[in-house]
Short mmCIF file of all heavy atoms in Angstrom, two decimals:
data_model
loop_
_atom_site.label_atom_id
_atom_site.label_comp_id
_atom_site.label_asym_id
_atom_site.label_seq_id
_atom_site.Cartn_x
_atom_site.Cartn_y
_atom_site.Cartn_z
N LYS A 176 90.88 59.15 67.00
CA LYS A 176 90.36 57.94 66.35
C LYS A 176 89.45 57.17 67.29
O LYS A 176 88.43 56.61 66.88
CB LYS A 176 91.53 57.04 65.92
CG LYS A 176 91.10 55.76 65.23
CD LYS A 176 92.28 54.98 64.71
CE LYS A 176 93.12 54.41 65.82
NZ LYS A 176 94.20 53.53 65.31
N ARG A 182 87.72 56.27 60.12
CA ARG A 182 87.53 56.94 58.83
C ARG A 182 87.85 58.43 58.95
O ARG A 182 88.55 59.00 58.11
CB ARG A 182 86.11 56.75 58.32
CG ARG A 182 85.88 57.37 56.96
CD ARG A 182 84.45 57.24 56.50
NE ARG A 182 84.23 57.90 55.23
CZ ARG A 182 83.04 58.08 54.66
NH1 ARG A 182 81.96 57.61 55.26
NH2 ARG A 182 82.92 58.70 53.51
N ASN A 193 99.70 66.68 53.70
CA ASN A 193 99.93 67.57 52.56
C ASN A 193 100.23 69.01 52.98
O ASN A 193 100.60 69.83 52.15
CB ASN A 193 98.71 67.56 51.63
CG ASN A 193 98.51 66.22 50.97
OD1 ASN A 193 99.47 65.50 50.73
ND2 ASN A 193 97.27 65.85 50.69
N MET A 194 100.05 69.32 54.26
CA MET A 194 100.22 70.71 54.72
C MET A 194 101.64 71.03 55.15
O MET A 194 102.03 72.19 55.18
CB MET A 194 99.25 71.00 55.86
CG MET A 194 97.81 71.13 55.40
SD MET A 194 96.69 71.56 56.73
CE MET A 194 95.15 71.68 55.84
N GLN A 198 104.20 72.49 63.78
CA GLN A 198 103.55 72.91 65.02
C GLN A 198 102.73 74.17 64.74
O GLN A 198 102.93 74.84 63.74
CB GLN A 198 104.57 73.19 66.11
CG GLN A 198 105.64 74.20 65.72
CD GLN A 198 106.72 74.32 66.77
OE1 GLN A 198 106.89 73.45 67.60
NE2 GLN A 198 107.46 75.42 66.72
N LYS A 199 101.81 74.48 65.66
CA LYS A 199 100.97 75.66 65.48
C LYS A 199 100.70 76.33 66.82
O LYS A 199 100.43 75.65 67.81
CB LYS A 199 99.61 75.29 64.88
CG LYS A 199 99.59 74.97 63.43
CD LYS A 199 98.17 75.10 62.84
CE LYS A 199 97.09 74.56 63.73
NZ LYS A 199 95.74 74.73 63.13
N VAL A 227 101.84 94.46 73.36
CA VAL A 227 102.52 94.98 72.16
C VAL A 227 102.81 96.47 72.30
O VAL A 227 103.92 96.94 72.05
CB VAL A 227 101.69 94.68 70.90
CG1 VAL A 227 102.16 95.54 69.72
CG2 VAL A 227 101.77 93.21 70.52
N ILE A 240 103.86 108.76 70.62
CA ILE A 240 103.07 107.93 69.70
C ILE A 240 101.71 108.59 69.51
O ILE A 240 100.97 108.82 70.47
CB ILE A 240 102.90 106.50 70.25
CG1 ILE A 240 104.27 105.82 70.31
CG2 ILE A 240 101.95 105.69 69.37
CD1 ILE A 240 104.28 104.52 71.04
N TYR A 251 88.65 86.57 69.65
CA TYR A 251 87.90 86.10 70.81
C TYR A 251 87.26 87.27 71.58
O TYR A 251 86.57 87.05 72.55
CB TYR A 251 88.84 85.34 71.77
CG TYR A 251 89.08 83.91 71.37
CD1 TYR A 251 90.23 83.55 70.68
CD2 TYR A 251 88.18 82.90 71.69
CE1 TYR A 251 90.48 82.23 70.32
CE2 TYR A 251 88.41 81.59 71.34
CZ TYR A 251 89.56 81.26 70.65
OH TYR A 251 89.80 79.94 70.30
N LEU A 278 90.71 98.02 61.56
CA LEU A 278 90.47 97.43 60.24
C LEU A 278 90.03 95.98 60.43
O LEU A 278 90.86 95.12 60.72
CB LEU A 278 91.74 97.49 59.39
CG LEU A 278 92.33 98.88 59.12
CD1 LEU A 278 93.67 98.76 58.40
CD2 LEU A 278 91.37 99.73 58.31
N TYR A 280 88.15 92.53 58.87
CA TYR A 280 87.67 91.77 57.70
C TYR A 280 88.25 92.27 56.37
O TYR A 280 87.56 92.27 55.36
CB TYR A 280 86.14 91.76 57.66
CG TYR A 280 85.50 91.52 59.00
CD1 TYR A 280 84.56 92.40 59.52
CD2 TYR A 280 85.88 90.42 59.77
CE1 TYR A 280 84.00 92.19 60.76
CE2 TYR A 280 85.31 90.19 61.02
CZ TYR A 280 84.38 91.08 61.52
OH TYR A 280 83.83 90.88 62.76
N CYS A 283 93.80 88.80 54.48
CA CYS A 283 95.22 88.71 54.84
C CYS A 283 96.05 89.86 54.28
O CYS A 283 97.28 89.86 54.38
CB CYS A 283 95.79 87.36 54.39
SG CYS A 283 94.93 85.96 55.14
N GLN A 311 92.88 85.41 65.43
CA GLN A 311 92.64 84.28 66.31
C GLN A 311 91.68 83.34 65.59
O GLN A 311 90.49 83.27 65.87
CB GLN A 311 92.08 84.76 67.65
CG GLN A 311 93.09 85.63 68.39
CD GLN A 311 92.58 86.14 69.73
OE1 GLN A 311 91.45 86.57 69.86
NE2 GLN A 311 93.44 86.09 70.73
N SER A 313 91.29 80.24 65.56
CA SER A 313 90.62 79.16 66.29
C SER A 313 89.28 79.60 66.87
O SER A 313 88.44 78.77 67.21
CB SER A 313 91.52 78.63 67.41
OG SER A 313 91.78 79.63 68.38
N ILE A 347 108.37 105.05 62.75
CA ILE A 347 108.86 106.35 63.19
C ILE A 347 109.17 107.25 62.00
O ILE A 347 109.54 106.77 60.93
CB ILE A 347 110.13 106.22 64.07
CG1 ILE A 347 111.27 105.56 63.27
CG2 ILE A 347 109.84 105.46 65.35
CD1 ILE A 347 112.64 105.68 63.92
N PHE A 355 118.02 105.25 67.34
CA PHE A 355 118.28 103.83 67.14
C PHE A 355 119.67 103.64 66.53
O PHE A 355 120.01 104.28 65.53
CB PHE A 355 117.21 103.22 66.23
CG PHE A 355 115.82 103.36 66.79
CD1 PHE A 355 115.07 104.51 66.55
CD2 PHE A 355 115.27 102.37 67.58
CE1 PHE A 355 113.80 104.65 67.08
CE2 PHE A 355 114.00 102.51 68.11
CZ PHE A 355 113.27 103.65 67.87
N ASN A 356 120.44 102.74 67.13
CA ASN A 356 121.82 102.53 66.66
C ASN A 356 121.98 101.19 65.96
O ASN A 356 123.05 100.58 66.01
CB ASN A 356 122.80 102.63 67.84
CG ASN A 356 122.48 101.63 68.94
OD1 ASN A 356 121.56 100.83 68.80
ND2 ASN A 356 123.27 101.65 70.00
N ALA A 374 86.66 82.91 46.30
CA ALA A 374 87.33 81.62 46.52
C ALA A 374 87.70 81.44 47.99
O ALA A 374 88.04 80.34 48.42
CB ALA A 374 88.57 81.49 45.64
N ASN A 379 77.91 79.30 56.29
CA ASN A 379 77.28 78.65 57.44
C ASN A 379 78.26 78.46 58.60
O ASN A 379 78.28 77.43 59.28
CB ASN A 379 76.68 77.30 57.04
CG ASN A 379 75.55 77.44 56.04
OD1 ASN A 379 74.73 78.35 56.14
ND2 ASN A 379 75.50 76.55 55.06
N LEU A 388 91.63 78.28 44.29
CA LEU A 388 92.35 79.35 44.97
C LEU A 388 93.78 79.51 44.48
O LEU A 388 94.24 80.61 44.17
CB LEU A 388 92.33 79.08 46.47
CG LEU A 388 92.93 80.13 47.39
CD1 LEU A 388 92.15 81.42 47.29
CD2 LEU A 388 92.94 79.63 48.83
N VAL A 412 112.35 91.97 39.79
CA VAL A 412 112.05 90.96 40.82
C VAL A 412 113.35 90.41 41.42
O VAL A 412 113.44 90.16 42.62
CB VAL A 412 111.22 89.80 40.21
CG1 VAL A 412 111.10 88.64 41.19
CG2 VAL A 412 109.83 90.30 39.83
N ILE A 415 114.91 92.10 44.51
CA ILE A 415 114.23 92.02 45.81
C ILE A 415 114.71 90.74 46.51
O ILE A 415 114.35 89.63 46.11
CB ILE A 415 112.70 92.00 45.66
CG1 ILE A 415 112.22 93.23 44.89
CG2 ILE A 415 112.04 91.93 47.03
CD1 ILE A 415 112.47 94.55 45.58
N GLU A 416 115.52 90.91 47.53
CA GLU A 416 116.10 89.74 48.20
C GLU A 416 115.21 89.17 49.31
O GLU A 416 115.24 87.98 49.57
CB GLU A 416 117.47 90.10 48.78
CG GLU A 416 118.50 90.47 47.73
CD GLU A 416 119.86 90.77 48.34
OE1 GLU A 416 120.41 89.89 49.03
OE2 GLU A 416 120.37 91.88 48.14
N GLU A 417 114.45 90.04 49.96
CA GLU A 417 113.59 89.59 51.06
C GLU A 417 112.13 89.66 50.65
O GLU A 417 111.63 90.72 50.24
CB GLU A 417 113.82 90.45 52.31
CG GLU A 417 115.23 90.35 52.85
CD GLU A 417 115.45 91.17 54.10
OE1 GLU A 417 114.57 92.00 54.44
OE2 GLU A 417 116.49 90.99 54.76
N PRO A 434 107.46 81.34 36.29
CA PRO A 434 107.93 82.51 35.54
C PRO A 434 106.80 83.42 35.06
O PRO A 434 106.94 84.65 35.05
CB PRO A 434 108.68 81.90 34.35
CG PRO A 434 109.07 80.54 34.82
CD PRO A 434 107.96 80.08 35.73
N GLU A 435 105.67 82.84 34.66
CA GLU A 435 104.57 83.64 34.14
C GLU A 435 103.83 84.41 35.23
O GLU A 435 103.04 85.32 34.95
CB GLU A 435 103.59 82.76 33.35
CG GLU A 435 102.84 81.73 34.18
CD GLU A 435 103.58 80.40 34.29
OE1 GLU A 435 104.81 80.38 34.12
OE2 GLU A 435 102.90 79.39 34.56
N ILE A 465 106.90 86.98 58.89
CA ILE A 465 108.10 86.77 58.08
C ILE A 465 108.99 88.01 58.14
O ILE A 465 110.21 87.91 58.27
CB ILE A 465 107.73 86.46 56.62
CG1 ILE A 465 106.81 85.24 56.54
CG2 ILE A 465 108.98 86.22 55.78
CD1 ILE A 465 106.22 85.00 55.17
N GLY A 485 100.54 91.00 51.18
CA GLY A 485 99.40 90.36 51.83
C GLY A 485 98.23 90.27 50.87
O GLY A 485 98.01 91.17 50.05
N LEU A 496 107.00 98.13 49.48
CA LEU A 496 108.40 98.05 49.09
C LEU A 496 109.25 98.71 50.17
O LEU A 496 108.92 99.81 50.63
CB LEU A 496 108.63 98.75 47.75
CG LEU A 496 110.06 98.86 47.24
CD1 LEU A 496 110.61 97.50 46.89
CD2 LEU A 496 110.12 99.80 46.03
#
Side-chain angles (χ1 to χ4, degrees):
K176 180 174 69 174
R182 182 183 177 188
N193 294 330
M194 287 183 178
Q198 55 187 19
K199 285 200 319 179
V227 163
I240 295 170
Y251 278 98
L278 301 173
Y280 317 125
C283 300
Q311 296 180 317
S313 63
I347 61 167
F355 301 86
N356 58 2
N379 296 321
L388 184 63
V412 171
I415 304 295
E416 296 183 58
E417 297 181 349
E435 66 271 22
I465 303 171
L496 175 67

